[in-house]
């Protein structure tokens, strides 16, 4: 490590910035956004810096030879697009013991600019020793994706209580445990969720901070997390954070292995789902196990394919958690119907052609037989059927009996968003055969005129898609 990361107190004095063009303006924007007082030498004479009135009030425009400028009280010198003047300024600054940065010139720099993640009171600096700013920016993007948007608000919130709590807890280790419990528990979660007033009340309600810190039993909670349709890159950032924080994860069988790999390695994983022909442990048992784990102080994730509230029985699980007095949160996921539509470029709505969408489930034939198909005959309605492969014959029978045209376009899309995704399109008349061609589930059925707009069947060309539709229509 050549460059030691440190944070400069910009209230200690002004920064001298020398340079020209966009290089100077880019560094000026960084310094101004950090609240620095800046003395600017624009060596090309262009003083149109494009700053807001607030930022401009902290900027002093200097003329004359920058090498003769007064550097008393200055805390750092920055040269951006300054050419030979930058090199000479570096020699002068180093002679005075001032930190200096000459853009893209490590030999004449005593500090470098990192890539910055700015979350208010939380700032992350990423450096590559000046060797590759692009790599640093890519790392910054990854960190920005992982950090909660309100992490700075959490730091500010804790800062508001820190002095009073520290005065009430003398022992440093106990003090640290107190703040760990606050940050990792419901109080920290409330701040990150934007419920700062609720967190404020909860922290003030802690009568004995030392006893709170000594509590043997941590506060457990359950997060219902939507895993999406299969592609791990479709996990939400919030879902990924929950998987990284979890002590135990109860997951469905249909959650892909690639998504399970995003769980922290030392987290306990429990498969509780079921697939056709293979019974699971039952919903009541799942509820009880989640409750017991949370009551034991564990951070629990209930990981469900798609979205917990779209045919995922999330509502039943929330009611059980409420009844047990267990803290919970809900993290939505991309449901399979939306994921499949995007994957195969099927617009679920289309101007003047499809103005309504109905989502339904037909896990078994009796599910399809029980549906009121008479409400689903509108030709401007797109029907998305979950778990409909086994019930495909009953779905066809129900819709045809209700009056839907046998020529209605239909698509069967299996394992959507995964590398082995497959689709087959045709008409309602041929739905059972299309379902057989799906070659295994899970699969969704999309029924309606919008299927004509399908843009991708992975292994089929557009001509083959058109040919399939024409063959089905004959």
């Amino acid at each position: 490590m050549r460059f030691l990361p440190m944070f400069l107190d910009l209230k200690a004095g002004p920064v001298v910035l020398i340079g020209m063009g966009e290089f100077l303006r880019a560094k000026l924007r960084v310094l101004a956004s950090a609240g620095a007082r800046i003395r600017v030498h624009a060596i090309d004479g262009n003083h149109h810096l494009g700053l807001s009135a607030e930022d401009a009030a902290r900027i002093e425009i200097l003329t004359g030879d920058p090498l003769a400028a007064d550097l008393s009280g200055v805390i750092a010198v920055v040269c951006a697009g300054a050419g030979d003047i930058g090199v000479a300024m570096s020699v002068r600054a180093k002679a005075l013991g001032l930190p200096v940065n000459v853009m893209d010139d490590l030999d004449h720099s005593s500090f470098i600019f990192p890539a910055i993640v700015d979350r208010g009171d939380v700032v992350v600096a990423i450096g590559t020793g000046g060797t590759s700013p692009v790599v640093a920016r890519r790392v910054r993007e990854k960190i920005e994706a992982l950090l909660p948007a309100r992490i700075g608000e959490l730091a500010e919130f804790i800062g508001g209580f820190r002095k009073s709590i520290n005065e009430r807890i003398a022992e440093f280790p106990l003090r640290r445990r107190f703040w760990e419990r606050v940050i990792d528990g419901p109080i920290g979660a409330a701040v990150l969720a934007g419920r700062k007033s609720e967190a404020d009340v909860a922290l003030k309600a802690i009568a004995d901070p030392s006893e709170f810190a000594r509590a043997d039993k941590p506060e457990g909670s359950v997060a219902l997390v939507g895993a999406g349709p299969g592609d791990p890159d479709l996990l939400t950032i919030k879902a990924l954070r929950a998987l990284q924080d979890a002590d135990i994860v109860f997951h469905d069988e249909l959650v892909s292995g690639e998504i399970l790999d995003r769980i922290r390695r030392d987290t306990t994983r429990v498969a509780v789902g079921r697939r056709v022909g293979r019974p699971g442990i039952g919903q009541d048992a799942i509820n009880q196990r989640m409750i017991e784990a949370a009551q034991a102080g564990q951070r629990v994730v209930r990981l469900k394919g798609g979205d917990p509230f779209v045919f995922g029985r999330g509502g039943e699980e929330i009611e059980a958690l409420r009844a047990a007095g267990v803290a919970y949160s809900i993290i939505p996921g991309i449901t399979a119907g939306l994921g499949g539509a995007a994957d195969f470029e099927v617009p679920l709505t289309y101007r003047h052609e499809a103005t309504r969408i109905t989502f339904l489930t037909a896990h078994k034939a009796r599910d399809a037989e029980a549906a009121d198909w008479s409400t689903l005959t509108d030709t401007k309605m797109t029907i998305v059927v979950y778990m409909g492969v086994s019930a495909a014959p009953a779905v066809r029978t129900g819709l045809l009996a209700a009056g839907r045209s046998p020529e209605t376009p239909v698509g069967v899309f299996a394992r959507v968003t995964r590398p082995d995704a497959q689709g087959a399109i045709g008409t309602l008349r041929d739905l059972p055969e299309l379902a057989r061609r799906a070659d295994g589930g899970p699969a969704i059925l999309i029924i309606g005129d919008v299927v004509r707009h399908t843009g991708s069947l992975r292994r089929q060309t557009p001509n083959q898609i058109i040919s399939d539709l024409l063959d089905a229509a004959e």
Side-chain angles (χ1 to χ4, degrees):
M1 180 174 63
R2 175 177 171 182
F3 291 92
L4 178 68
M6 293 184 291
F7 292 89
L8 190 66
D9 182 5
L10 294 174
K11 293 182 179 180
V15 176
V16 170
L17 175 60
I18 303 166
M20 59 187 293
E22 185 55 35
F23 298 120
L24 178 139
R25 285 189 288 274
K27 284 292 189 286
L28 182 60
R29 286 192 293 269
V30 172
L31 292 168
S33 68
R37 288 183 290 131
I38 313 165
R39 297 176 184 172
V40 178
H41 286 270
I43 58 178
D44 59 355
N46 183 359
H47 298 136
H48 299 289
L49 304 176
L51 295 173
S52 67
E54 181 182 353
D55 288 339
R58 291 181 279 105
I59 307 300
E60 182 182 357
I61 305 296
L62 301 180
T63 58
D65 183 3
L67 296 177
D70 180 13
L71 297 182
S72 58
V74 169
I75 60 171
V77 175
V78 178
C79 302
D84 292 338
I85 293 177
V87 175
M89 198 67 192
S90 170
V91 173
R92 185 180 176 209
K94 287 180 178 179
L96 295 172
L98 290 176
V100 60
N101 172 266
V102 180
M103 191 183 72
D104 292 336
D105 188 344
L106 290 179
D107 292 336
H108 292 96
S109 297
S110 60
F111 78 93
I112 58 177
F113 274 81
I116 297 170
V117 178
D118 185 359
R119 293 285 193 275
D121 284 351
V122 174
V123 177
V124 181
I126 306 104
T128 58
T131 58
S132 180
V134 173
V135 170
R137 286 198 296 270
R138 288 291 181 264
V139 174
R140 180 192 65 195
E141 291 165 5
K142 297 292 185 183
I143 294 175
E144 284 184 326
L146 290 172
L147 278 181
R150 295 188 176 93
I151 191 69
E153 294 178 30
L154 179 58
E156 181 185 15
F157 173 82
I158 290 172
F161 285 93
R162 187 180 177 195
K163 182 178 179 181
S164 62
I165 293 296
N166 289 356
E167 288 174 349
R168 297 167 66 187
I169 305 177
E171 304 94 334
F172 178 77
L174 198 60
R175 193 183 299 165
R176 184 181 64 244
R177 286 200 295 274
F178 174 89
W179 289 119
E180 286 174 349
R181 288 201 64 198
V182 168
I183 292 169
D184 296 336
I187 295 176
V191 176
L192 294 177
R195 304 193 305 273
K196 193 173 179 180
S197 58
E198 176 186 321
D200 188 85
V201 171
L203 199 149
K204 288 178 179 176
I206 299 174
D208 188 339
S210 295
E211 188 61 32
F212 177 85
R214 289 192 186 98
D216 293 329
K217 182 179 174 182
E219 296 173 87
S221 62
V222 176
L224 266 67
V225 176
D231 182 351
D233 288 339
L234 292 179
L235 277 171
T236 66
I237 295 169
K238 199 169 185 179
L240 183 59
R241 285 201 297 266
L243 294 181
Q244 289 291 304
D245 289 342
D247 298 310
I248 184 169
V249 175
F250 296 98
H251 64 88
D252 287 344
E253 288 290 338
L254 295 180
V255 176
S256 68
E258 293 83 2
I259 289 175
L260 295 178
D261 287 341
R262 305 294 175 97
I263 300 171
R264 200 178 69 244
R265 292 186 181 276
D266 60 343
T267 298
T268 302
R269 306 180 190 183
V270 182
V272 296
R274 64 186 181 89
R275 302 186 78 164
V276 176
R278 288 189 286 169
I281 67 172
Q283 189 62 55
D284 290 341
I286 294 172
N287 294 348
Q288 188 58 37
R289 293 185 70 173
M290 286 194 300
I291 291 167
E292 289 173 354
Q295 290 175 338
Q298 292 187 295
R299 289 169 294 189
V300 181
V301 164
R302 174 69 173 103
L303 186 61
K304 309 167 81 68
D307 181 273
F309 283 179
V310 180
F311 307 122
R313 305 188 76 169
E316 299 172 47
E317 294 175 346
I318 289 300
E319 288 187 357
L321 295 171
R322 285 179 189 150
V326 171
Y328 65 86
S329 60
I330 303 158
I331 301 175
I334 296 175
T335 187
L338 301 182
D343 203 21
F344 289 93
E345 302 170 25
V346 184
L348 295 180
T349 61
Y350 203 91
R351 190 177 183 186
H352 304 313
E353 187 173 303
T355 57
R356 291 197 291 161
I357 310 168
T358 295
F359 296 92
L360 58 93
T361 180
H363 188 53
K364 298 178 181 179
R366 63 173 177 267
D367 296 331
E369 293 165 358
D372 182 4
W373 296 105
S374 65
T375 64
L376 305 174
T377 57
D378 184 354
T379 58
K380 291 189 175 182
M381 176 189 293
T382 301
I383 304 171
V384 181
V385 184
Y386 287 67
M387 300 174 283
V389 170
S390 299
V395 171
R396 178 187 63 176
T397 298
L399 283 172
L400 291 178
R404 195 92 185 209
S405 168
E407 308 305 323
T408 301
V410 171
V412 179
F413 306 107
R415 302 172 300 282
V416 298
T417 76
R418 302 183 187 185
D420 62 342
Q422 284 189 334
I425 64 171
T427 64
L428 183 58
R429 177 191 294 112
D430 302 318
L431 179 55
E433 173 57 28
L434 296 174
R436 282 192 290 272
R437 287 166 54 187
D439 191 26
I444 58 167
L445 319 179
I446 300 180
I447 302 167
D449 290 346
V450 293
V451 176
R452 291 195 180 98
H453 301 286
T454 301
S456 170
L457 283 187
R458 297 295 178 93
R459 297 178 184 176
Q460 287 186 281
T461 66
N463 287 337
Q464 288 173 316
I465 295 171
I466 296 170
S467 176
D468 281 354
L469 282 172
L470 291 174
D471 290 345
E474 289 180 356

